[in-house]
Amino acid sequence: MNTKIIRINKETEYSEQLTEASEIILTGGTVVFPTETVYGLGGNGLLADAAQKIYAAKGRPSDNPLIIHIAEPCDAEKYAFVNDVYYRLAEAFMPGPLTVIMPKRECIPLSVTGGLDTVAVRCPSHPVAHALIKKCGVPIAAPSANISGRPSPTSAKYVEEDMLGRVDMIIDGGECEIGLESTIVKIDGNSLTLLRPGAITRDALLCVCEDVKIAPAVIHKLAENEKPLSPGMKYRHYAPNADLVLLDGNSDDVLSFMINEQKSTGCAVLCYDEELSCLNPDLSIAIGTRNDLATQAKKLFTSLREADKLGAAKIYAHLPTLDGLGLALYNRMIRAAAHTIKKI
Ligand code: TXA
Ligand code: MG
């Protein structure tokens, strides 16, 4: 397949440039587009065939459902049975990095929802994503635009690494602001279950809904034969080719361990900016300063991809804390590490 690439500058007029992209979507093709979280691999959310093409391009099992992206929060009513809680969430966080799971309406094909009777709905704030969905006039079904199991792409460079020749078009809209995928919640009556933490933190959700449970698989490894609340929880994710090991201990001890390991084994590390000068610069990737979780989130997936290119067999990184945005970092990193944590 020949992949057409178009580059868009957010600051200038680009509506015309999206005409061809919307035609591709409407005729059942696939277009990768930027969002504020990560790049999405989009297809027409009302066409069963488009979902099949998305699964094929990603190499994703077709029981792992897709998120549908809408232009306005109220469009959710066309595709899902919404309630008050949805509107409270929409008021507070949409458009933005929040996905809400609700009972689906008939018009959404089962192939989009992996056979489930619920659908995941998200209204992105990225202007290019918004303009594209609006132009199409249909919801855009889109998972992250990576080959299944690889880190989600946060710039077109990484989309091209994974998707060239696998999709009809890639829209390069620059770097994604947030860098981690959206927060996913499931509405159950008046309460919420957090299925995937993201930039909308649990504390922020608690301001809107007083009952926010955290699904156990967000932090813990699923027990064998345990049925996950979200199919995506059972797959290995974000994984570099090297073995990632998370180090749990006080920062000084962890840094000493990294320094010694680099000398003795030539391992790679993901470190904080302020640690870089103590480490081997050829084997170290800085992901932001210790307390700047937003930068760490933005750089995490890129850092995992770049760490792999250093060619080391092992990558060490700090185990994040569970507070605020730390929960999202923790969730992505324990999956990338296949739950390998070493106490220091
Ligand atoms: O930020 C994002 O959410 C990005 C951008 C492109 O919008 N999309 C994204 O999609 O991360 P994806 O497919 O990579 O992750 C969606 C997750 C999957 O783990 C899937 O299992 C879960 O959402 N999911 C989707 N529909 C669901 C449903 N009806 N019930 C439970 N989990 C669902
Ligand atoms: Mg994904």
Side-chain angles (χ1 to χ4, degrees), residues 38-288:
V38 299
Y39 274 76
L41 195 184
N44 186 337
L46 301 179
L47 289 181
D49 280 3
Q52 297 309 337
K53 284 191 194 163
I54 292 172
Y55 290 126
K58 264 184 87 73
R60 175 171 180 155
S62 58
D63 71 341
N64 193 0
L66 309 174
I67 295 173
I68 62 162
H69 296 69
I70 54 176
E72 313 297 336
C74 61
D75 291 342
E77 287 191 16
K78 295 188 240 169
Y79 314 118
F81 293 96
V82 307
N83 69 2
D84 262 22
V85 178
Y86 172 77
Y87 274 107
R88 294 214 300 274
L89 290 167
E91 177 82 9
F93 306 117
M94 291 182 196
L98 180 70
T99 297
V100 182
I101 294 176
M102 296 171 281
K104 84 171 191 73
R105 289 191 188 270
E106 190 90 13
C107 58
I108 299 295
L110 283 168
S111 60
V112 168
T113 65
L116 299 175
D117 56 6
T118 52
V119 63
V121 180
R122 159 159 143 73
C123 178
S125 62
H126 194 293
V128 174
H130 180 260
L132 178 64
I133 303 162
K134 222 176 150 82
K135 204 164 206 144
C136 291
V138 296
I140 298 187
S144 49
N146 50 286
I147 298 274
S148 198
R150 305 249 299 145
S152 299
T154 56
S155 72
K157 175 181 159 196
Y158 299 113
V159 172
E160 287 175 37
E161 273 183 12
D162 282 14
M163 288 299 156
L164 218 52
R166 292 175 163 260
V167 294
D168 294 304
M169 180 183 269
I170 295 172
I171 303 174
D172 177 352
E175 253 185 55
C176 301
E177 270 305 303
I178 295 172
L180 294 182
E181 309 88 341
S182 60
T183 300
I184 302 182
V185 292
K186 183 162 192 220
I187 298 181
D188 291 305
N190 281 323
S191 53
L192 295 179
T193 305
L194 180 64
L195 300 183
R196 184 175 71 185
I200 309 289
T201 61
R202 177 164 190 261
D203 287 343
L205 292 166
L206 282 169
C207 296
V208 173
C209 177
E210 53 193 35
D211 184 12
V212 184
K213 299 175 187 68
I214 300 184
V218 165
I219 302 176
H220 303 291
K221 197 171 176 172
L222 274 176
E224 238 165 84
N225 301 326
E226 188 179 349
K227 192 174 181 299
L229 291 172
S230 170
M233 290 170 165
K234 64 178 186 249
Y235 297 107
R236 186 165 180 223
H237 260 130
Y238 319 116
N241 293 317
D243 287 333
L244 176 69
V245 177
L246 304 179
L247 302 174
D248 181 13
N250 85 50
S251 297
D252 290 346
D253 294 344
V254 168
L255 178 59
S256 305
F257 178 86
M258 286 175 167
I259 294 169
N260 289 334
E261 279 302 297
Q262 277 193 331
K263 282 185 188 142
S264 57
T265 68
C267 65
V269 304
L270 302 187
C271 65
Y272 300 129
D273 292 359
E274 51 271 49
E275 297 172 331
L276 194 57
S277 61
C278 309
L279 289 156
N280 178 342
D282 296 332
L283 288 172
S284 306
I285 292 181
I287 63 163

Side-chain angles (χ1 to χ4, degrees), residues 275-342:
E275 297 172 331
L276 194 57
S277 61
C278 309
L279 289 156
N280 178 342
D282 296 332
L283 288 172
S284 306
I285 292 181
I287 63 163
T289 56
R290 184 186 314 279
N291 296 319
D292 184 358
L293 300 186
T295 300
Q296 292 173 31
K298 187 169 177 169
K299 288 190 169 175
L300 177 67
F301 289 146
T302 303
S303 302
L304 288 172
R305 283 181 184 252
E306 293 303 320
D308 242 353
K309 292 178 187 160
L310 300 176
K314 217 168 229 179
I315 306 170
Y316 287 106
H318 291 272
L319 181 71
T321 62
L322 296 174
D323 308 322
L325 189 55
L327 184 65
L329 281 161
Y330 186 101
N331 169 266
R332 303 310 189 277
M333 289 181 83
I334 49 161
R335 275 147 186 272
H339 294 267
T340 317
I341 299 175
K342 181 176 174 61

